Every structure is written in structure tokens, then in C-alpha cells.
Amino acid sequence: MEDYFNKLKKYNFWEGNVPSLGFERKTYSDAILDYTGNKLIKVLTGQRRVGKSYLLRQIADKIIKQGISAENIVYLNKEFTDFDFIGNYKELEKLIEIYRNKINPKGKIYLFIDEVQNIEGWEHFVNSYSQNYVDSYEIFISGSNSKMLSGELATLLSGRYVSFEIFPFGFSEYAQVLEKEKNKQTYIEYMESGGLPELFELPNEQTKRNYVSAIKDSVLLRDIIQRYNIKDPRLLEDIFVYLVNNASNLISINNIVNFFKSNNRKTTYDTVSNYIEYITDTFLIHKAERYDVKGKDIILGNCKYYINDLAFKNYLYQGFGYGIGYKLENLIYLELRRSGYEVFTGTIKNREIDFVAKKANRIIYLQVTYLLENEQTATREYAPLKAIPDNYEKVVVSLDDVSLPPNEGILHVQTWKLADFLK
């Protein structure tokens, strides 16, 4: 028991110890802190290595700076081998009891549990402790699988949690970390690199490539292959590669099945569909459904997929032809999601709208293009937006050096200024 306590003590803020906090992601931490002071479970989801652990520790640090005793904060990361002795929620309960006996905290206890899905039955612990009216707890958890709050679990915790999806660094964070101006050149550098936080601490291209590859391998192996007992790991990875190299393109499951069959790879619609679902559940890839702007309804079948971070493309699969426009569209998708929008790819009168973005009562239609270099390009990009009969915001986003005036009510926004426009 003493050994267990010492392992917990090693990673906590007690006795003046301050764990590594990393780059402050104020937008996320402030949004999460707005929900503190109640019994709601705060849930952080997102791909591995996007900074959820640092963010949990930043929130804990801010709570301490607000006047809460450090001894009332408990942080543990189930990814650390020091906590391998916690296999299920009963063992987690024993550890919390050891902590209470050793520290004897007064008042509310704040529990921060990283990668909570690795603890069997964690939902019973979280549900029970968050609603405990004898001892007061406030709970913050993180996980790397979107299904952790689905089905029966969502019913069990219904109305008792608030969820935040954490993304890699956005452009503003990238510029801030590297102390660069927010301009076109910096944006292009961002697009050719990526936003995974630890990339910026690595010295050269080869170590960055190895790092990104290790993330990909870890997610595919630990979160999919082992979890679902995948029978064809090579096919799983090849599907991931296909989605990365076809990001921003309109594709269907049948397209993918036919691609593999044309390369003498036997597979089925159901297998490909399941593997894609597993991949999107880990946040490596995002799916954007098609949306009928006129009929206000989802169109089943073709859809688009976007990479959670362009580092997977830039460092792992550079050889595949991939225009800058596709990368740009991918970054705009991520910026929209990072800003809290629900995002679709639109269609109206046989014209494609790159994005239909919805957030509360705000709806924005967006077209993305590399440059509005001539009248023909401008006509092509503005035409689908002009075909939309309603009066919601319509925007063309590009990397042009000059911001163009409105065109029949359609705004032009330079890519590096989009985040501010979306606020």
C-alpha cells in the first residue's frame, strides 16, 4: 500500500511538486473551467498525443491557483506503467481510499483520471463518485475513443457529463508556440508540418517522422487491433493510408472496396466499413457527411474524410500526389471543428459546397480554394454559394495575399484570419 501511495504522490501537486504543464491551451482550459463547481463529469476526448494529459494538469494547476489546496487534487494517468496495478474500478477505489487515509484532505476532492477507458468498469466509479452526497468529488476524465460515451454508458451518465473534443494545435497556437507572426508564410509552414504538440520539441525531420509513425502504430495496435481482435492488421493500416491520401475527396465505401479488389486484395463492404468506423472512433480520421442544402437533410452514401492532423500526410505519405488545395480544405475543416461547429459537406443543384458549418443558431457556408488567381477560378468558387437561396453567412476562404471585397454578400476570408472570423 505504501508503494501504491508513493507512485500516486510522484505525479501529483502535493508538497510543492508541480508536474509538467506544457504550453497553456487557454481556450480549452477556460471553457472547461466554466463548468467547474458542480457534479458534472468533465470529459476530454481526442486522439492520443494531442495534449489531453497536459490540459488536465493545467486545469488542476488553475484550480489550485484559485485557492483549492493541492492536497485536494488527485491526478493519475492510466497510460503510465506505475499504475498498471489498477485494472478495474475496485482497485481504483482502493487507491483513492489509500490517498484519503494518508493525506486526510478537507472538503471537496478533485479527481483527474487520464485514459480512463483503460480501467475496467470505470463508468461505475465515475457515476458513483460524481453523485456521492456524503463525500464531495468533482471528476475530470480523458479518453482516446469516441465510443467511451455511447450506448448504455451514455444512458448511465445521461445529463451528468459535459464533453470536450481536444484537437492538435490550431494555427494561432502554432504561431504562438514558435513566436511567429500570424501571416500567410507562417500558415503555409503550419500546413506543411502539423499541429501535434510534441512535434515542436523534436530536432529534425527524421525524428519527427519516427514520432508521427509511432503515434499511428500505437493507435492502430492498442486502440483497434488489440481491442477488436482485428484479423487483417495490414488491411486496417492500408485503409488508413487510403483515407489519408484521399482526404478532402468525396468517396464511398464501395470506392474503397473496389480499389482493393483492383489490387487483388480480397475484402468486403462490411469489413471496410467496420475498419473505417474503428479508425474514426480513435479520432485519427474524421467523417463529414453530405448535406442537402435545399432539403435540409443528410444524404447517405458518399462522404468526405479528413485527417486529424496533416503530420500524418506530411511525414508518412509524401509520395502520393496531393494538391495544396486538399491540405487547405483539411485545415479549414479542423478549424471549424476546433471552433465548435458541426461540419458537413454540402450539395445544392448538383453543385458541391465544401462546408456547411453549424453552431447554435449560426450557419456558415464555406468554399475553400488555394488562390482566387483569375476570374474563372473566382466564378467557379463563388457560383455554388450564389445558388443558395437563404440568407445565412457565405464565405470563400483562400490563401490570397489581399482580402477581396464582398461579392453579392459573399465574404472573402484569408485562411490565417479564419479562427478570428469564427469566434
Side-chain angles (χ1 to χ4, degrees):
M1 293 178 65
E2 188 73 27
D3 183 49
Y4 291 168
F5 175 74
N6 287 334
K7 288 180 177 180
L8 186 63
K9 180 180 178 181
K10 175 181 174 182
Y11 297 101
N12 274 277
F13 291 78
W14 313 329
E15 299 179 2
N17 179 44
V18 179
S20 176
L21 299 176
F23 172 79
E24 182 184 4
R25 306 191 73 180
K26 196 173 187 308
T27 301
Y28 282 124
S29 60
D30 285 353
I32 296 166
L33 283 169
D34 283 343
Y35 285 88
T36 55
N38 51 58
K39 291 183 176 295
L40 284 174
I41 304 156
K42 271 60 79 172
V43 183
L44 281 61
T45 61
Q47 178 203 301
R48 289 179 184 272
R49 315 312 296 170
V50 295
K52 300 188 297 299
S53 301
Y54 281 106
L55 193 50
L56 283 180
R57 294 196 292 270
Q58 289 172 20
I59 296 165
D61 183 61
K62 289 192 174 188
I63 289 174
I64 292 170
K65 288 176 178 175
Q66 290 175 352
I68 300 299
S69 170
E71 293 184 339
N72 285 59
I73 306 289
V74 180
Y75 171 83
L76 69 90
N77 189 332
K78 193 56 182 69
E79 288 286 280
F80 296 162
T81 56
D82 276 341
F83 296 113
D84 281 350
F85 65 90
I86 303 174
N88 57 56
Y89 76 99
K90 291 292 186 182
E91 291 161 342
L92 176 59
E93 283 187 319
K94 290 177 182 177
L95 181 62
I96 299 302
E97 190 61 31
I98 292 171
Y99 149 78
R100 292 185 67 101
N101 290 335
K102 288 281 189 179
I103 297 292
N104 192 26
K106 308 299 181 184
K108 181 191 286 187
I109 296 170
Y110 296 79
L111 297 179
F112 293 80
I113 308 173
D114 232 337
E115 298 299 343
V116 71
Q117 78 278 356
N118 294 330
I119 301 173
E120 184 180 350
W122 65 268
E123 61 272 18
H124 301 294
F125 173 93
V126 167
N127 186 51
S128 174
Y129 276 62
S130 67
Q131 304 305 311
N132 192 325
Y133 57 84
V134 176
D135 298 313
S136 182
Y137 293 90
E138 188 158 349
I139 299 177
F140 302 75
I141 60 176
S142 80
S144 301
N145 192 289
S146 65
K147 288 292 192 291
M148 64 181 288
L149 289 170
S150 63
E152 293 180 7
L153 179 55
T155 302
L156 178 66
L157 301 181
S158 178
R160 297 177 181 174
Y161 71 90
V162 56
S163 182
F164 304 87
E165 185 173 349
I166 311 302
F167 287 85
F169 284 167
F171 172 64
S172 296
E173 293 174 309
Y174 173 89
Q176 188 177 348
V177 168
L178 296 180
E179 299 180 343
K180 294 191 174 186
E181 289 187 26
K182 292 168 60 178
N183 55 30
K184 177 178 179 177
Q185 181 56 41
T186 305
Y187 193 90
I188 292 173
E189 292 170 7
Y190 170 61
M191 179 165 54
E192 295 304 319
S193 174
L196 295 171
E198 292 177 340
L199 273 179
F200 308 106
E201 300 177 9
L202 301 177
N204 54 55
E205 294 295 299
Q206 187 58 48
T207 55
K208 290 179 180 181
R209 185 173 297 108
N210 292 340
Y211 171 71
V212 174
S213 181
I215 293 176
K216 180 259 299 179
D217 291 342
S218 177
V219 173
L220 294 183
L221 176 63
R222 298 170 65 181
D223 295 335
I224 302 179
I225 295 171
Q226 292 179 350
R227 179 173 181 173
Y228 298 105
N229 193 26
I230 296 298
K231 297 178 180 179
D232 192 344
R234 176 65 185 274
L235 177 63
L236 175 73
E237 179 162 0
D238 286 346
I239 289 174
F240 172 69
V241 174
Y242 182 94
L243 294 176
V244 169
N245 286 330
N246 287 277
S248 305
N249 282 316
L250 204 58
I251 56 178
S252 69
I253 303 294
N254 282 325
N255 291 152
I256 302 172
V257 172
N258 291 335
F259 169 80
F260 284 113
K261 286 184 176 179
S262 68
N263 287 277
N264 299 315
R265 298 283 297 280
K266 292 183 178 180
T267 188
T268 66
Y269 183 99
D270 288 343
T271 298
V272 171
S273 179
N274 288 336
Y275 283 11
I276 289 177
E277 184 176 355
Y278 299 152
I279 293 170
T280 56
D281 284 348
T282 65
F283 303 98
L284 282 177
I285 298 286
H286 302 279
K287 179 181 179 180
E289 301 277 11
R290 287 184 85 203
Y291 181 82
D292 182 354
V293 173
K294 186 176 181 180
K296 310 296 183 186
D297 201 5
I298 299 295
I299 303 173
L300 300 178
N302 292 358
C303 61
K304 289 187 177 184
Y305 293 92
Y306 296 96
I307 319 166
N308 194 47
D309 193 88
L310 284 179
F312 293 107
K313 173 62 188 176
N314 293 330
Y315 292 106
L316 301 186
Y317 311 115
Q318 296 173 313
F320 189 92
Y322 200 78
I324 194 170
Y326 294 104
K327 287 187 178 183
L328 196 62
E329 184 176 328
N330 202 121
L331 285 186
I332 301 307
Y333 172 86
L334 293 174
E335 194 62 65
L336 288 166
R337 291 291 312 280
R338 194 179 288 109
S339 299
Y341 287 82
E342 187 178 10
V343 185
F344 306 88
T345 179
T347 180
I348 183 170
K349 298 179 180 178
N350 295 320
R351 299 177 185 268
E352 296 295 329
I353 312 293
D354 288 330
F355 297 121
V356 180
K358 299 183 178 184
K359 182 180 179 182
N361 294 322
R362 188 179 186 186
I363 296 177
I364 312 174
Y365 303 108
L366 298 96
Q367 285 291 94
V368 181
T369 187
Y370 173 34
L371 294 172
L372 294 165
E373 53 192 351
N374 53 48
E375 186 175 342
Q376 183 180 0
T377 302
T379 299
R380 184 187 70 234
E381 298 300 332
Y382 280 86
L385 298 177
K386 291 179 179 179
I388 302 173
D390 61 46
N391 294 316
Y392 290 114
E393 296 172 83
K394 302 176 182 69
V395 179
V396 172
V397 184
S398 78
L399 269 171
D400 284 279
D401 295 309
V402 179
S403 181
L404 304 178
N407 182 335
E408 296 184 28
I410 301 170
L411 301 179
H412 173 244
V413 177
Q414 294 159 306
T415 53
W416 58 96
K417 298 178 181 179
L418 180 62
D420 292 332
F421 172 80
L422 294 174
K423 291 180 180 177

